[in-house]
Amino acid sequence: MRPDPDELLARMNDAASKALRGKLTIFFGSAPGVGKTYAMLVAARSEVEDESRDVVAGIVETHGRKETAALVLGLEMLPRKHVAHRGITLEELDLDAALARRPAIVVVDELAHTNAPGLRHTKRWQDVEELLAAGIDVYTTLNVQHLESLNDVVAQITGVVVRETVPDEVFEGAYEVRVVDLPVDELRDRLREGKVYGKAQAERAAQEFFREGNLTALRELALRRTAERVEAKMRSYKAAHGIEATWATSERILVCVSPSPSSERLIRAARRMAASAHAELLGVYVETPAAVRLGAADRERLARNMRLVESLGGESITLRGEDAATETVAYARKRNVTKIVLGKPTHSRWRDLLRTPFLDDVVRKSREIDVHVISGSAPAAGARRAAPAPTSTGTRATATRFAPAAALVSLATVTSALVFGRAALADVVMVHLLAIVVVSMRYGRGPAIFATFASVLAVDALFVPPYMSLAVTDLRHVVTFGVMFVVALVISHLTSRIRDQADSAREREQRTASLFAVARDLGNARSRDELFEMATGHVGAAFHAQATIHLPAERHGGDDAKDDKTAAAVAWALRHAKPAGASTDTLPTASALALPLVGSKGAVGVMTLAIGDPSHDATARETIRRLRDPDERQLLETICKLIGSAVERTQLEDDARDARLRAETEHLRNALLSSVSHDLRTPLGVVTGATSAILDAPDLDPASRRELVQTAHDEAVRLSRLVRNLLDMTRLEAGALALRSSSASVEEIVGSVLARFGGRALTTTVPSDLEVHGDAVLLAQALINLVENAVKYSPATEPIHVEARERGGMVEIDVADRGGGVYDSDKTRIFQKFFRAHETEGGGVGLGLTVAQGIAEAHGGSLSVLDREGGGALFRISVPATPRRATESA
Amino acid sequence: MTDAADVPPSSGASAPRERLLIADDERPIRRFVRLALESHRFRVVEAGSVREALAQVSTYAPALVLLDLGLPDGDGFDVIARVRAFSTMPIIVVSATGSEETKVRALDAGANDFLQKPFGLPELLARVRVALRRSAQRASGAAMPAVVRIGHAIIVDLATRTVTKSGHDVHLTPIEYELLRVLVKHAEYVVTHRQLLEQVWGAAHGERVGYLRVYMTQLRAKLEDIPAQPKHLRTELGVGYRLKLGG
């Protein structure tokens, strides 16, 4: 059988990432004291001594055992991090020091350890993950009771609940697991000798945890778990080498997750089934309309259970629908699930009478899919589903819901009394039922039940003899009350359910709408800043928290990370493309949540949500509640993905624009170079030639000598002009031309320009009070170029006319000549670089007009060429005028 | 380059051979300036750095300094300040990168004139002669002549405070007259906006260039034939004004 290409690819990726990742070696034992740390240190020493590898002890707990302490002495010790917590100083692994030191192997004891508050990660295994990700090998120790999937089994065996757990993924992903095994008797001997704990502690431990039965069970568990892992490796090996599979690869197990505390046990059991059957694990929760009203505690438990599924390597799925059983089975069928695991019902038989139990329903609908029913957890069974308490509405809110209920019932009673009197009991009942319907529609289940009781009491007391008493003489009336009571309850139940469905639909609608709004706005955003503003605006409004977007090496929007913790969380989230900070397990003490904005090539940025102190900030509590809600969380992550791809898109656009710009610049530079090299060489050639002729011929006649010198001089002047224009051009193009704008007299500008053309016939019409707003020196430069151009292209006998006027807030300065004029076809081209209308001798390089136009445009003006009346060309430069006002006077 | 027409009559072969200092780090420029000036009967000493320039100034006490601002071992502005600390010898700044700010700064620091590279010999000679003549006037302690001719038509009588053009009285307001007087006093030199404002209006008015422009426009209207093509009241854009007596 040929291996599945997808699987092969996945394995290649796996192998590639493994090549970069460090290797994790776990020294795995069944109980404390079997000698894991000792074995680990021996292995570490042999790495140093036999392989000369660079080994550093990150953190090792010797627990006062002498042999172990002796082994540590031979290793380089990394300084520990001291964390003050509640008056005591805790010693922790210094992760950053280890990363900075970059040894080949780090020895980190006790993988399941929980870090002191305030460190980057809550758990040590997360530190180890980071070391591995940095390409550092890690040696560590682990006891079987700390494995997540075995946690509850161990608790059952030993009666001790272990809180510190390590996800099975870490165990499965280890490069090597070495079992450190010790026969049970020997371990108990060691314990008695005080080699594991101190003498006093040892006695108690021997009584509780280290009972022989416990140890044997744990030992078996450890060995079996290791065997499972070896088998998984074998399977992977076989698959990699195309060896025919002898097992059902498509096995999938679906476990029904609920907010119930017993669900946790169910999930662990399902995980064990999945592990031994090499099956995929799916954790499914169906959100029915009734479940939308889950209390805060239930919601949190549900979220925790879903996370548990994920940490056990499963996939968690939330479905929505009217009927949990139908949805579950439909989904199971869609995913080719082979087994459905669900819990034994814990509720009373009475409830089953009212509606079809979930279990029966699933079994009936599941057909070919196996259904496994696992018993609910005994100790936790007492704490069943909490009543769906409306937590967000306090007593005042309750009062506002019950008061109108009472008022409506009173109204019904009064109306009945006035309209029907005491004769028509049926009508009176009807009117009260109407009141109950209204109450249950508007105020929910509680007030509806209240209204039901109130109505029955009111009808009994006021409309049924004996009046003003709750006693009933006629048995028929008891039946009436019974019917009225049941009908009222059914009505209130049905209407409440409709309400819940409507609420659920509305909430979903809101989420969809807000997602749509975000997607639309992000699509419309024209600039990155606009994009960020919209994104942070949406998220901030949805979660009542200040959202800020951080890009690598630059910062955008809002106030920035105020504390180091937040900055660290941002950096971590960016590097690892995973959430960090408040409400996560990484840097949980930060005051903000950092969410990576993931694009196609990893995180392109990070969005932070500033969360206040929940202990005295209601908004912060609300924000945290919403962040714990899986739906809200998913919404937030989807938004982050949208932003991530939008940011990536703008980055790609920027890159493309830069590339285009570079190409254009390159093209221009080549054109410039070829043109300039010609125009620079020509005058230089003339100067060199003429001067060398003078040098070589001492007996040259004075007339020839003078002519040669004159030629050299003229060419030098031309060269100087060319260089000046080139410099101006370069500055204009580089955008380095800073305008020093102020009011300037046009007369003075024209005057100073014309002073340079002493010998030429010139006429002027310039009002003396005309002022421009601009850079006088640059404007003069533009005019010089225009006049030079006119001088070059018109007969010397015809005066050049300069005329200025104000028109519509702009000052127009015309430079008109009587030359050949400009062909219509050339009227735009003459402003292009290196364009020359006539390749005349002594002409410029074709930059003068371009520079003049550049200057005009830098002023927010323009330069154009017109046909002069009576022949010739007219260049008109137009720049903003100084607004006319009463001139200052002395 | 076109200023040749403005060169005042040569001081003649009998004039004393005055010693000039050219401070420039470019040897070709120094050689060109030395050859050109020596052919016009000046003696020239050279300096290639700030240190050399200051040494030559104290050794030879030249009649005039041609100073390049971009010297290798320091700032040309330092040289101006150090020389001005003990001497009023004319300093003409020569620079290739002459932005208007640099010009204004050099002039306000005490330089007398400014010459932008590349320049021609006639322009250089004209500036040097003007500077030397004015320096000689001041040294001899002779009062400014009471009557100054501007071009052919304009006569300024500083004693009677009257101005005539082609024999007709030109009526000037007190400020216009004061402006003209300052320009006449520094004739042929660039006077910066700040210098003009301070000398006409007082030290507190150094920034009010707008005032100045208005009065200069009025002055040009009254004295120049074609105000937009001024022969005498020349505008140095971004720097100041220069009164040319010739033409």
Side-chain angles (χ1 to χ4, degrees):
Chain A
M1 180 185 124
R2 272 213 348 247
D4 173 15
D6 283 343
E7 202 182 324
L8 212 57
L9 200 65
R11 208 163 20 246
M12 271 164 65
N13 286 339
D14 222 31
S17 66
K18 265 189 192 131
L20 297 172
R21 268 175 73 90
K23 291 170 179 167
L24 175 65
T25 305
I26 297 179
F27 293 82
F28 190 54
S30 58
V34 295
K36 295 179 303 294
T37 305
Y38 186 84
M40 173 172 74
L41 291 174
V42 170
R45 291 278 299 252
S46 81
E47 286 289 341
V48 178
E49 284 153 19
D50 305 343
E51 313 283 334
S52 325
R53 293 189 67 191
D54 182 15
V55 181
V56 165
I59 191 154
V60 177
E61 298 295 344
T62 58
H63 297 292
R65 297 167 205 164
K66 280 197 221 67
E67 302 95 319
T68 318
L71 278 173
V72 178
L73 288 178
L75 290 174
E76 178 187 335
M77 298 288 291
L78 208 63
R80 296 181 181 196
K81 197 176 187 122
H82 296 273
V83 184
H85 181 60
R86 293 194 182 144
I88 39 173
T89 305
L90 301 171
E91 291 191 349
E92 295 287 356
L93 168 70
D94 192 339
L95 177 59
D96 290 317
L99 288 170
R101 168 69 179 74
R102 284 204 69 85
I105 303 175
V106 181
V107 176
V108 180
D109 209 0
E110 293 187 9
L111 187 60
H113 173 80
T114 298
N115 283 337
L119 290 185
R120 189 183 310 164
H121 299 294
T122 46
K123 300 285 188 182
R124 183 170 289 165
W125 64 263
Q126 293 172 309
D127 292 344
V128 168
E129 277 293 302
E130 205 167 330
L131 287 169
L132 293 172
I136 301 171
D137 291 356
V138 178
Y139 278 15
T140 189
T141 61
L142 181 69
N143 277 331
V144 66
Q145 71 262 35
H146 293 298
L147 259 185
E148 181 74 65
S149 65
L150 297 177
N151 187 264
D152 61 328
V153 179
V154 172
Q156 268 183 343
I157 295 170
T158 62
V160 178
V161 180
V162 179
R163 295 244 155 63
E164 303 186 327
T165 57
V166 174
D168 288 58
E169 282 172 308
V170 177
F171 184 74
E172 300 287 357
Y175 173 75
E176 192 181 358
V177 173
R178 296 193 196 169
V179 180
V180 181
D181 191 34
L182 194 70
V184 172
D185 290 342
E186 235 170 277
L187 177 58
R188 283 173 65 86
D189 285 346
R190 279 172 58 109
L191 185 72
R192 263 194 299 277
E193 286 160 23
K195 282 184 177 168
V196 180
Y197 297 117
K199 285 266 183 195
Q201 246 189 316
E203 271 310 302
R204 233 184 51 226
Q207 295 291 318
E208 291 166 8
F209 192 83
F210 288 84
R211 275 180 303 181
E212 191 168 349
N214 281 358
L215 289 178
T216 313
L218 287 175
R219 191 171 171 218
E220 188 195 328
L221 213 52
L223 294 173
R224 211 169 59 200
R225 188 68 185 80
T226 317
E228 269 173 25
R229 190 181 164 278
V230 171
E231 202 181 313
K233 288 263 165 192
M234 185 66 196
R235 193 166 67 103
S236 154
Y237 170 84
K238 280 185 177 173
H241 293 80
I243 300 167
E244 187 92 15
T246 53
W247 51 81
T249 45
S250 57
E251 192 118 16
R252 275 200 191 90
I253 292 181
L254 183 152
V255 59
C256 299
V257 180
S258 79
S260 144
S262 62
S263 191
E264 189 184 325
R265 217 176 96 78
L266 195 64
I267 294 165
R268 290 184 198 284
R271 149 75 206 184
R272 279 194 299 278
M273 279 174 69
S276 55
H278 313 293
E280 263 179 59
L281 179 67
L282 307 176
V284 169
Y285 169 69
V286 184
E287 188 186 88
T288 55
V292 172
R293 309 197 322 146
L294 281 181
D298 279 339
R299 257 179 194 287
E300 206 173 319
R301 249 199 318 275
L302 176 64
R304 207 168 50 221
N305 288 343
M306 292 304 248
R307 279 202 297 274
L308 177 67
V309 171
E310 281 171 13
S311 78
L312 290 173
E315 183 184 345
S316 68
I317 300 114
T318 302
L319 304 171
R320 282 187 193 80
E322 179 66 25
D323 182 69
T326 316
E327 293 297 330
T328 306
V329 175
Y331 185 78
R333 199 154 280 134
K334 199 168 77 190
R335 292 286 303 264
N336 292 323
V337 164
T338 48
K339 289 188 178 77
I340 296 177
V341 177
L342 37 75
K344 237 180 218 175
T346 50
H347 54 74
S348 68
R349 187 178 285 271
W350 288 110
R351 239 177 82 177
D352 292 354
L353 289 179
L354 285 173
R355 60 168 177 218
T356 332
F358 175 70
L359 172 58
D360 292 3
D361 229 12
V362 171
V363 170
R364 197 171 311 118
K365 287 174 174 145
S366 60
R367 292 204 301 261
E368 78 285 356
I369 304 174
D370 295 344
V371 177
H372 293 242
V373 181
I374 288 170
S375 69
S377 162
R384 279 206 316 268
R385 266 178 159 222
T391 46
S392 55
T393 44
T395 34
R396 211 165 55 88
T398 312
T400 59
R401 286 160 67 229
F402 281 90
L408 274 166
V409 173
S410 310
L411 181 69
T413 309
V414 171
T415 312
S416 307
L418 292 177
V419 176
F420 307 113
R422 283 167 178 169
L425 187 57
D427 297 322
V428 170
V429 169
M430 285 300 170
V431 171
H432 281 90
L433 281 181
L434 178 65
I436 291 166
V437 169
V438 173
V439 169
S440 58
M441 256 166 52
R442 301 204 47 183
Y443 304 107
R445 201 184 298 261
I449 291 168
F450 165 75
T452 306
F453 278 106
S455 297
V456 170
L457 291 178
V459 172
D460 185 8
L462 299 175
F463 297 95
V464 176
Y467 302 119
M468 303 312 287
S469 154
L470 291 181
V472 180
T473 47
D474 195 335
L475 197 63
R476 268 188 319 149
H477 290 141
V478 176
V479 177
T480 309
F481 289 146
V483 170
M484 180 178 170
F485 192 72
V486 171
V487 170
L489 274 185
V490 170
I491 289 173
S492 71
H493 177 71
L494 287 177
T495 41
S496 302
R497 213 160 111 178
I498 291 169
R499 243 171 64 96
D500 290 348
Q501 272 173 357
D503 286 350
S504 162
R506 197 166 50 241
E507 254 183 54
R508 223 173 318 158
E509 174 63 29
Q510 264 171 7
R511 277 199 283 270
T512 314
S514 84
L515 203 57
F516 174 71
V518 174
R520 185 196 54 211
D521 283 356
L522 293 185
N524 287 347
R526 280 186 303 277
S527 69
R528 191 179 295 183
D529 286 343
E530 203 175 275
L531 182 90
F532 288 169
E533 201 177 304
M534 284 173 173
T536 52
H538 276 296
V539 174
F543 289 89
H544 310 296
Q546 162 110 42
T548 313
I549 286 179
H550 310 257
L551 289 188
E554 52 179 320
R555 309 191 309 213
H556 278 267
D559 205 348
D560 201 50
K562 285 177 200 73
D563 52 332
D564 290 349
K565 286 273 168 50
T566 304
V570 168
W572 198 89
L574 186 67
R575 196 163 59 242
H576 298 265
K578 284 180 195 156
S583 85
T584 70
D585 283 343
T586 300
L587 295 163
T589 50
S591 65
L593 168 66
L595 294 158
L597 306 172
V598 182
S600 62
K601 286 177 235 127
V604 292
V606 172
M607 180 166 68
T608 53
L609 269 183
I611 301 168
D613 184 356
S615 57
H616 49 261
D617 184 355
T619 322
R621 276 198 295 277
E622 169 67 8
T623 304
I624 287 173
R625 188 189 68 73
R626 301 193 61 148
L627 287 174
R628 289 218 173 111
D629 184 330
D631 287 331
E632 299 284 348
R633 193 64 181 244
Q634 201 187 355
L635 176 72
L636 190 58
E637 275 166 21
T638 311
I639 292 176
C640 283
K641 266 182 210 148
L642 281 175
I643 302 171
S645 52
V647 169
E648 198 171 53
R649 194 191 67 218
T650 60
Q651 277 173 359
L652 289 177
E653 277 169 10
D654 287 355
D655 289 353
R657 195 169 46 239
D658 286 353
R660 206 162 51 235
L661 205 66
R662 269 200 301 279
E664 265 173 31
T665 314
E666 189 61 25
H667 175 75
L668 265 178
R669 189 176 300 137
N670 289 340
L672 185 78
L673 212 62
S674 60
S675 170
V676 163
S677 58
H678 170 262
D679 285 296
L680 284 175
R681 281 208 183 103
T682 313
L684 276 176
V686 175
V687 171
T688 318
T691 47
S692 62
I694 298 166
L695 287 173
D696 285 354
D699 50 350
L700 209 65
D701 66 286
S704 308
R705 179 186 289 264
R706 179 157 183 84
E707 198 184 328
L708 280 173
V709 171
Q710 185 65 50
T711 312
H713 177 74
D714 290 350
E715 286 302 301
V717 169
R718 180 178 153 198
L719 198 59
S720 151
R721 194 170 62 222
L722 169 64
V723 168
R724 190 195 66 215
N725 271 330
L726 270 178
L727 288 176
D728 285 346
M729 195 67 238
T730 316
R731 284 199 301 165
L732 269 176
E733 286 196 334
L737 210 61
L739 292 186
R740 299 176 161 273
S741 284
S742 61
S743 280
S745 155
V746 176
E747 186 185 86
E748 288 189 352
I749 294 172
V750 171
S752 71
V753 167
L754 297 187
R756 304 170 71 103
F757 300 90
R760 192 65 163 79
L762 299 157
T763 56
T764 46
T765 311
V766 180
S768 67
D769 57 348
L770 195 58
E771 300 211 331
V772 285
H773 185 74
D775 187 319
V777 177
L778 282 178
L779 289 174
Q781 184 61 60
L783 275 181
I784 288 168
N785 289 4
L786 293 182
V787 177
E788 270 176 1
N789 192 66
V791 168
K792 212 184 302 173
Y793 293 113
S794 66
T797 49
E798 293 288 342
I800 291 162
H801 183 63
V802 179
E803 185 171 338
R805 74 191 74 79
E806 184 174 348
R807 182 184 293 171
M810 303 292 274
V811 167
E812 292 177 352
I813 307 172
D814 295 348
V815 177
D817 62 48
R818 288 288 179 206
V822 179
Y823 297 122
D824 282 348
S825 57
D826 288 345
K827 273 183 181 150
T828 51
R829 289 202 294 159
I830 50 168
F831 297 115
Q832 287 170 8
K833 261 174 275 188
F834 313 124
F835 179 83
R836 277 179 281 191
H838 319 282
E839 293 286 335
T840 48
E841 207 180 314
V845 68
L847 278 175
L849 291 178
T850 318
V851 169
Q853 191 187 38
I855 291 172
E857 284 171 356
H859 280 82
S862 61
L863 173 64
S864 53
V865 60
L866 308 162
D867 293 322
R868 188 183 183 189
E869 236 172 87
L874 186 155
F875 285 88
R876 173 170 295 167
I877 191 165
S878 175
V879 284
T882 299
R884 268 176 198 277
R885 56 186 157 80
T887 3
E888 304 163 86
S889 52
Chain B
M1 284 155 269
T2 53
D3 289 343
D6 298 330
V7 177
S10 167
S11 31
S14 60
R17 280 163 62 87
E18 283 158 307
R19 188 178 276 120
L20 313 181
L21 171 66
I22 167 78
D24 196 313
D25 60 332
E26 293 289 339
R27 186 182 293 276
I29 294 279
R30 292 207 300 267
R31 192 170 62 186
F32 145 66
V33 170
R34 184 162 56 79
L35 286 173
L37 290 177
E38 279 175 357
S39 72
H40 284 80
R41 306 182 52 78
F42 289 108
R43 282 180 294 171
V44 177
V45 288
E46 296 179 29
S49 65
V50 169
R51 202 174 41 78
E52 274 177 36
L54 291 171
Q56 301 285 50
V57 166
S58 58
T59 310
Y60 294 101
L64 179 143
V65 181
L66 284 165
L67 175 68
D68 182 15
L69 287 178
L71 291 173
D73 60 337
D75 194 339
F77 294 106
D78 288 347
V79 180
I80 300 176
R82 301 273 286 274
V83 171
R84 275 290 164 268
F86 66 90
S87 167
T88 56
M89 70 176 68
I91 300 174
I92 297 176
V93 166
V94 176
S95 175
T97 59
S99 69
E100 280 63 36
E101 297 87 77
T102 319
K103 288 184 195 172
V104 171
R105 212 179 130 204
L107 294 172
D108 281 344
N112 298 71
D113 209 344
F114 201 100
L115 205 53
Q116 173 140 13
K117 286 181 192 171
F119 51 83
L121 182 62
E123 209 176 342
L124 174 65
L125 278 175
R127 300 289 172 89
V128 166
R129 284 183 176 134
V130 166
L132 288 175
R133 192 168 64 235
R134 301 200 53 83
S135 165
Q137 266 174 13
R138 191 163 33 213
S140 68
M144 256 168 93
V147 176
V148 177
R149 286 184 80 95
I150 304 173
H152 304 296
I154 303 163
I155 296 164
V156 181
D157 189 331
L158 296 167
T160 59
R161 301 172 70 92
T162 52
V163 179
T164 58
K165 185 180 174 190
S166 310
H168 301 286
D169 272 353
V170 178
H171 177 73
L172 296 182
T173 66
I175 287 180
E176 286 164 8
Y177 176 80
E178 196 54 25
L179 205 53
L180 183 61
R181 193 189 62 79
V182 173
L183 286 169
V184 165
K185 193 173 132 199
H186 300 282
E188 305 292 343
Y189 279 155
V190 179
V191 191
T192 65
H193 294 131
R194 173 181 292 276
Q195 288 165 348
L196 272 174
L197 283 163
E198 284 179 1
Q199 289 182 47
V200 176
W201 278 273
H205 297 84
E207 302 298 328
R208 312 180 81 163
V209 183
Y211 271 25
L212 191 56
R213 200 168 57 235
V214 170
Y215 285 102
M216 283 305 298
T217 304
Q218 289 170 7
L219 210 51
R220 272 199 303 272
K222 287 177 181 176
L223 296 179
E224 292 284 356
D225 294 339
I226 310 167
Q229 300 178 51
K231 285 200 175 92
H232 310 293
L233 295 165
R234 294 288 181 87
T235 308
E236 298 280 333
L237 285 176
V239 181
Y241 296 93
R242 185 200 297 271
L243 176 68
K244 285 206 169 250
L245 296 173

